Amino acid sequence: MSIGLALSGGGAKGIAHIGVLQALEENGIKIDYISGCSSGSIVASLYAAGFKPKEILDVFVKNCNNIIDYDGKIGLKLLGTVFTKKLSIKGFVKGNKLEKTIRFYLKTKGIVDISEVKQHLAIPVVNLQTGETVYFSNGLDKEVVLCSMNNNTYKENEGVIQTYGNKSYDDMPTCFNCGELADIVRASCSFPGVFMPKEIEDTYYIDGGVRVNTPVKVLKQMGADKVIAVTFNCNNKLNVGINNIVGVSEQAFNILTHNSNTDEQKLADVNIRLCFKNVSLLDFSKAIHLAQRGYNIVNRNIKEIKALLEKE
């Protein structure tokens, strides 16, 4: 039986995925396919590249204070808006440091392109110009998956339901089986209004969570018999502070993506829900605590997790 693991986005909360991976490994649950969105894409990519959970945690601990690079020209841009009446701000965080950090660690494993990753990996992003979901993956069979591998042009099909594999969608995702992995992760982390969009080959991409925050379907299509999904919604309660622009953006994002995220979770065989209060989108300083919480929650529920995986 092959097992897939879908790691949802959640900003700094995504560090908890590391503890989940550690607990699954210690309990003999081998992950054959892995997907991740936003911060989940960071953990998924490093794990697929060959880093052990404890090594991934070390990456976050060592870099938690220098991976967020705020745009130092925000003040000037806001001032310019007063005179030009044009708002030129695309995001408060540039994302260059995050991308550089991911690129550095991947190169220690000899990996640049996603096609060079040995474990099956999938990362969703969203084309900002067309709104379509784009999957970057090294495990999608071009002959089986009914989606374009090299066509980035949006095609409107009003009233027509297209088919992706053996499931129906209201639009057909684009899929690529190559691309620099650090760029892809950076694109998937481009939380709207906070991170600037990532430009890849003249196309702007944003956080995959806008369309697919918990990438379960793609793992099934890649060949996973069972899928474990890890999310941060707890009984549909939103626990994000809304006392600043980041909190407001995160709250609005959770509300807007609730239905699409729920649809993906319904396809999972096991849903692990982690509920964290008072953890902001960019608060990476609590890395060890978050990883430990993820680890503890899986261990407390490991019997139920194994039973669900063994269920026919």
Side-chain angles (χ1 to χ4, degrees):
M1 177 178 65
S2 60
I3 297 176
L5 180 66
L7 306 179
S8 74
K13 294 189 288 289
I15 299 172
H17 292 316
I18 302 169
V20 171
L21 278 166
Q22 181 69 35
L24 292 176
E25 277 195 357
E26 291 180 2
N27 285 281
I29 298 176
K30 180 179 178 294
I31 303 303
D32 303 289
Y33 301 83
I34 191 165
S35 64
C37 183
S38 198
S39 57
S41 75
I42 302 175
V43 178
S45 295
L46 293 176
Y47 188 74
F51 288 90
K52 294 294 184 182
K54 290 181 179 179
E55 294 174 324
I56 301 173
L57 178 58
D58 191 48
V59 170
F60 277 96
V61 171
K62 285 183 177 179
N63 297 280
C64 66
N65 293 321
N66 63 1
I67 59 174
I68 301 300
D69 48 348
Y70 292 97
D71 184 359
K73 297 181 180 180
I74 285 291
L76 291 175
K77 290 177 181 178
L78 287 172
L79 183 62
T81 300
V82 175
F83 298 100
T84 65
K85 308 299 181 183
K86 295 180 180 180
L87 188 62
S88 60
I89 299 171
K90 296 179 180 178
F92 292 96
V93 181
K94 294 185 287 186
N96 296 335
K97 287 186 177 180
L98 172 61
E99 184 179 326
K100 183 178 179 180
T101 300
I102 298 301
R103 182 174 290 110
F104 169 80
Y105 283 100
L106 289 174
K107 283 187 175 180
T108 66
K109 297 292 186 180
I111 293 172
V112 175
D113 198 276
I114 192 171
S115 61
E116 298 169 336
V117 179
K118 293 182 179 179
Q119 186 172 17
H120 294 300
L121 171 67
I123 299 173
V125 298
V126 172
N127 184 321
L128 185 58
Q129 285 112 312
T130 68
E132 67 180 326
T133 304
V134 177
Y135 287 101
F136 285 92
S137 174
N138 61 354
L140 289 168
D141 190 332
K142 289 184 289 186
E143 296 181 357
V144 174
V145 180
L146 302 179
C147 61
S148 170
M149 297 300 291
N150 48 28
N151 179 13
N152 230 10
T153 304
Y154 177 66
K155 297 179 180 179
E156 186 169 346
N157 291 275
E158 185 176 358
V160 178
I161 295 179
Q162 300 183 48
T163 302
Y164 175 39
N166 59 354
K167 295 182 174 64
S168 294
Y169 292 76
D170 59 359
D171 66 339
M172 187 179 291
T174 298
C175 305
F176 295 109
N177 57 7
C178 62
E180 187 170 349
L181 188 50
D183 287 347
I184 297 166
V185 171
R186 163 68 180 83
S188 189
C189 290
S190 299
F191 191 90
V194 178
F195 275 81
M196 296 180 184
K198 172 63 180 176
E199 184 179 5
I200 302 176
E201 296 184 359
D202 300 322
T203 300
Y204 285 98
Y205 295 101
I206 58 173
D207 194 326
V210 172
R211 297 293 302 273
V212 188
N213 199 38
T214 311
V216 174
K217 287 180 284 198
V218 67
L219 293 177
K220 295 276 188 175
Q221 186 62 51
M222 289 166 70
D225 297 315
K226 299 282 185 175
V227 174
I228 302 170
V230 186
T231 60
F232 298 101
N233 62 319
C234 184
N235 297 323
N236 298 325
K237 294 180 180 179
L238 301 174
N239 297 301
V240 180
I242 52 175
N243 57 351
N244 57 59
I245 190 170
V246 174
V248 171
S249 296
E250 188 174 2
Q251 186 86 323
F253 184 86
N254 289 336
I255 295 169
L256 288 169
T257 61
H258 172 71
N259 287 338
S260 60
N261 197 36
T262 300
D263 289 342
E264 290 280 337
Q265 291 176 58
K266 288 178 180 178
L267 296 176
D269 301 279
V270 181
N271 275 289
I272 300 174
R273 293 182 173 88
L274 310 178
C275 186
F276 298 115
K277 295 182 179 180
N278 303 319
V279 179
S280 66
L281 189 75
L282 303 178
D283 186 7
F284 291 93
S285 64
K286 300 177 181 179
I288 294 175
H289 167 72
L290 291 167
Q292 188 65 50
R293 284 284 304 278
Y295 178 84
N296 292 342
I297 290 170
V298 170
N299 276 327
R300 284 201 301 267
N301 296 278
I302 194 62
K303 289 184 179 179
E304 183 180 0
I305 292 170
K306 287 185 174 181
L308 288 170
L309 290 174
E310 294 168 1
K311 185 178 179 181
E312 293 295 334

